[in-house]
Amino acid sequence: MAGNKKSGGGFAKTAEPFVCGGSAATFASCIIHPIDLAKVRMQLFGQLNPGKPVPSFPNLLKSMIKNEGITSIYKGVDAAIGRQMVYGTARIGLHRTFSDMLVQWNDGKPVNFGMKTLSGMASGSIAVCIGTPFDIALVRLQSDSMAPESERRNYKNVFDVSAKFTIYTE
Protein backbone atom coordinates (compact mmCIF):
# COMPACT_ATOMS: atom_id res chain seq x y z
CA MET A 1 0.00 0.00 0.00
CA ALA A 2 2.83 2.37 0.79
CA GLY A 3 4.26 1.70 -2.67
CA ASN A 4 1.11 3.15 -4.27
CA LYS A 5 1.35 6.44 -2.38
CA LYS A 6 3.20 9.31 -3.97
CA SER A 7 6.46 9.90 -2.17
CA GLY A 8 6.26 12.95 0.09
CA GLY A 9 8.91 15.04 1.66
CA GLY A 10 7.60 18.45 0.77
CA PHE A 11 9.75 21.46 0.13
CA ALA A 12 12.90 20.12 1.83
CA LYS A 13 12.94 17.01 -0.36
CA THR A 14 12.37 19.08 -3.50
CA ALA A 15 15.00 21.69 -2.57
CA GLU A 16 17.66 19.17 -1.51
CA PRO A 17 19.29 18.55 -4.93
CA PHE A 18 19.23 22.27 -5.70
CA VAL A 19 20.81 23.25 -2.37
CA CYS A 20 23.37 20.44 -2.34
CA GLY A 21 24.26 20.84 -6.01
CA GLY A 22 24.50 24.61 -5.82
CA SER A 23 26.57 24.52 -2.63
CA ALA A 24 29.00 21.98 -4.07
CA ALA A 25 29.36 23.88 -7.34
CA THR A 26 29.90 27.17 -5.53
CA PHE A 27 32.51 25.73 -3.17
CA ALA A 28 34.37 24.09 -6.06
CA SER A 29 34.33 27.35 -8.01
CA CYS A 30 35.87 29.24 -5.07
CA ILE A 31 38.68 26.69 -4.82
CA ILE A 32 39.43 26.54 -8.55
CA HIS A 33 39.02 30.29 -9.24
CA PRO A 34 42.73 31.27 -9.20
CA ILE A 35 43.45 28.53 -11.74
CA ASP A 36 40.61 29.68 -13.99
CA LEU A 37 41.75 33.29 -13.69
CA ALA A 38 45.31 32.35 -14.65
CA LYS A 39 43.99 30.38 -17.64
CA VAL A 40 42.02 33.38 -18.90
CA ARG A 41 44.97 35.72 -18.41
CA MET A 42 47.35 33.32 -20.19
CA GLN A 43 44.95 33.16 -23.16
CA LEU A 44 44.63 36.94 -23.28
CA PHE A 45 48.37 37.47 -22.87
CA GLY A 46 49.01 35.46 -26.03
CA GLN A 47 46.46 37.53 -27.95
CA LEU A 48 47.59 40.89 -26.60
CA ASN A 49 51.33 40.18 -26.95
CA PRO A 50 51.84 38.26 -30.19
CA GLY A 51 55.30 36.78 -30.49
CA LYS A 52 56.06 37.06 -26.77
CA PRO A 53 56.23 33.84 -24.78
CA VAL A 54 53.22 33.32 -22.52
CA PRO A 55 54.28 33.28 -18.86
CA SER A 56 53.98 29.99 -17.03
CA PHE A 57 51.07 29.41 -14.71
CA PRO A 58 53.12 29.79 -11.47
CA ASN A 59 54.94 32.87 -12.79
CA LEU A 60 51.69 34.50 -13.80
CA LEU A 61 50.17 34.00 -10.34
CA LYS A 62 53.37 35.18 -8.62
CA SER A 63 53.42 38.31 -10.79
CA MET A 64 49.76 39.04 -10.07
CA ILE A 65 50.30 38.73 -6.33
CA LYS A 66 53.46 40.87 -6.45
CA ASN A 67 51.97 43.63 -8.63
CA GLU A 68 48.29 43.60 -7.66
CA GLY A 69 48.20 41.97 -4.21
CA ILE A 70 46.98 38.60 -2.96
CA THR A 71 43.34 39.49 -3.58
CA SER A 72 44.07 39.80 -7.32
CA ILE A 73 43.93 36.02 -7.73
CA TYR A 74 40.29 36.19 -6.67
CA LYS A 75 39.33 38.98 -9.09
CA GLY A 76 35.91 38.05 -10.43
CA VAL A 77 35.13 35.44 -7.79
CA ASP A 78 31.79 37.15 -7.10
CA ALA A 79 30.77 36.47 -10.70
CA ALA A 80 32.02 32.88 -10.43
CA ILE A 81 29.96 32.40 -7.28
CA GLY A 82 26.94 34.02 -8.91
CA ARG A 83 27.31 31.77 -11.92
CA GLN A 84 27.47 28.62 -9.82
CA MET A 85 24.60 29.74 -7.59
CA VAL A 86 22.49 29.99 -10.74
CA TYR A 87 24.03 27.54 -13.22
CA GLY A 88 25.27 24.82 -10.85
CA THR A 89 22.13 24.91 -8.76
CA ALA A 90 19.83 24.74 -11.78
CA ARG A 91 21.85 22.12 -13.66
CA ILE A 92 22.05 19.63 -10.82
CA GLY A 93 18.65 20.37 -9.30
CA LEU A 94 16.78 20.27 -12.58
CA HIS A 95 18.51 17.05 -13.63
CA ARG A 96 17.30 15.35 -10.45
CA THR A 97 13.82 16.82 -10.86
CA PHE A 98 13.59 15.74 -14.52
CA SER A 99 14.99 12.28 -13.74
CA ASP A 100 12.46 11.77 -10.94
CA MET A 101 9.64 12.82 -13.28
CA LEU A 102 10.84 10.37 -15.92
CA VAL A 103 10.90 7.53 -13.37
CA GLN A 104 7.31 8.42 -12.36
CA TRP A 105 6.22 8.40 -16.01
CA ASN A 106 7.93 5.02 -16.35
CA ASP A 107 5.74 3.52 -13.57
CA GLY A 108 8.53 3.75 -11.00
CA LYS A 109 10.98 1.70 -13.03
CA PRO A 110 14.49 2.97 -13.82
CA VAL A 111 14.77 4.87 -17.08
CA ASN A 112 17.08 3.94 -19.93
CA PHE A 113 20.27 5.70 -20.96
CA GLY A 114 18.52 7.74 -23.65
CA MET A 115 16.05 9.19 -21.16
CA LYS A 116 18.85 9.96 -18.70
CA THR A 117 20.71 11.71 -21.50
CA LEU A 118 17.60 13.71 -22.39
CA SER A 119 17.25 14.76 -18.74
CA GLY A 120 20.87 15.89 -18.62
CA MET A 121 20.62 17.78 -21.90
CA ALA A 122 17.42 19.55 -20.89
CA SER A 123 18.69 20.54 -17.45
CA GLY A 124 22.07 21.66 -18.82
CA SER A 125 20.45 23.69 -21.61
CA ILE A 126 18.16 25.55 -19.25
CA ALA A 127 20.97 26.14 -16.73
CA VAL A 128 23.40 27.49 -19.32
CA CYS A 129 20.80 29.96 -20.60
CA ILE A 130 20.38 31.47 -17.15
CA GLY A 131 24.07 31.23 -16.23
CA THR A 132 25.59 32.88 -19.31
CA PRO A 133 25.30 36.50 -18.08
CA PHE A 134 27.47 35.53 -15.11
CA ASP A 135 30.03 33.97 -17.48
CA ILE A 136 30.25 37.23 -19.37
CA ALA A 137 30.72 39.14 -16.12
CA LEU A 138 33.35 36.65 -14.95
CA VAL A 139 35.53 36.97 -18.06
CA ARG A 140 35.19 40.76 -18.06
CA LEU A 141 36.24 40.96 -14.40
CA GLN A 142 39.16 38.61 -14.99
CA SER A 143 40.45 40.39 -18.08
CA ASP A 144 39.78 44.08 -17.49
CA SER A 145 43.13 44.80 -15.85
CA MET A 146 44.97 43.40 -18.89
CA ALA A 147 43.45 45.96 -21.26
CA PRO A 148 45.35 49.17 -22.00
CA GLU A 149 44.50 51.74 -19.32
CA SER A 150 42.53 53.88 -21.76
CA GLU A 151 40.27 50.93 -22.60
CA ARG A 152 39.67 49.61 -19.07
CA ARG A 153 36.21 49.72 -17.61
CA ASN A 154 37.54 49.35 -14.02
CA TYR A 155 34.76 47.03 -12.98
CA LYS A 156 34.19 46.84 -9.23
CA ASN A 157 32.08 43.66 -9.02
CA VAL A 158 29.58 41.50 -10.89
CA PHE A 159 26.79 44.08 -10.49
CA ASP A 160 29.01 46.84 -11.90
CA VAL A 161 29.76 44.65 -14.93
CA SER A 162 26.07 43.96 -15.41
CA ALA A 163 25.19 47.65 -15.19
CA LYS A 164 27.93 48.70 -17.61
CA PHE A 165 27.20 45.79 -19.93
CA THR A 166 23.57 46.85 -20.32
CA ILE A 167 24.52 50.50 -20.87
CA TYR A 168 27.25 50.02 -23.51
CA THR A 169 26.68 48.54 -26.90
CA GLU A 170 29.71 46.63 -28.04
Side-chain angles (χ1 to χ4, degrees), residues 95 98-99 102-103 106 109-122:
H95 178 61
F98 294 164
S99 294
L102 290 170
V103 168
N106 201 29
K109 293 179 268 183
V111 294
N112 63 33
F113 177 76
M115 295 307 282
K116 289 177 184 177
T117 302
L118 181 63
S119 172
M121 289 171 58

Side-chain angles (χ1 to χ4, degrees), residues 5-164:
K5 289 172 74 176
K6 287 186 179 179
S7 61
F11 177 76
K13 183 72 173 162
T14 302
E16 181 182 22
F18 291 90
V19 172
C20 292
S23 298
T26 300
F27 179 73
S29 191
C30 288
I31 299 300
I32 203 74
H33 186 77
I35 296 169
D36 186 54
L37 175 62
K39 172 203 67 164
V40 169
R41 293 228 177 157
M42 288 171 75
Q43 291 169 333
L44 289 173
F45 186 90
Q47 291 177 357
L48 296 172
N49 302 289
K52 284 188 175 179
V54 176
S56 69
F57 175 79
N59 286 341
L60 181 74
L61 288 176
K62 279 192 268 185
S63 173
M64 286 175 61
I65 292 169
K66 179 182 173 190
N67 298 328
E68 302 171 48
I70 189 74
T71 58
S72 67
I73 63 171
Y74 276 93
K75 184 76 173 171
V77 75
D78 56 337
I81 289 170
R83 177 187 189 272
Q84 291 305 334
M85 288 177 72
V86 173
Y87 171 74
T89 299
R91 180 176 50 92
I92 295 169
L94 287 173
H95 178 61
R96 171 70 64 84
T97 301
F98 294 164
S99 294
D100 290 349
M101 288 171 50
L102 290 170
V103 168
Q104 276 185 337
W105 290 346
N106 201 29
D107 297 322
K109 293 179 268 183
V111 294
N112 63 33
F113 177 76
M115 295 307 282
K116 289 177 184 177
T117 302
L118 181 63
S119 172
M121 289 171 58
S123 60
S125 297
I126 293 168
V128 81
C129 287
I130 58 179
T132 296
F134 286 97
D135 274 336
I136 293 169
L138 175 61
V139 171
R140 286 173 180 243
L141 281 163
Q142 291 176 330
S143 62
D144 191 49
S145 66
M146 293 191 70
E149 267 193 64
S150 63
E151 295 176 22
R152 289 184 192 165
R153 299 278 171 81
N154 298 313
Y155 298 118
K156 296 173 188 70
N157 54 46
V158 65
F159 302 109
D160 188 39
V161 173
S162 299
K164 288 179 180 176

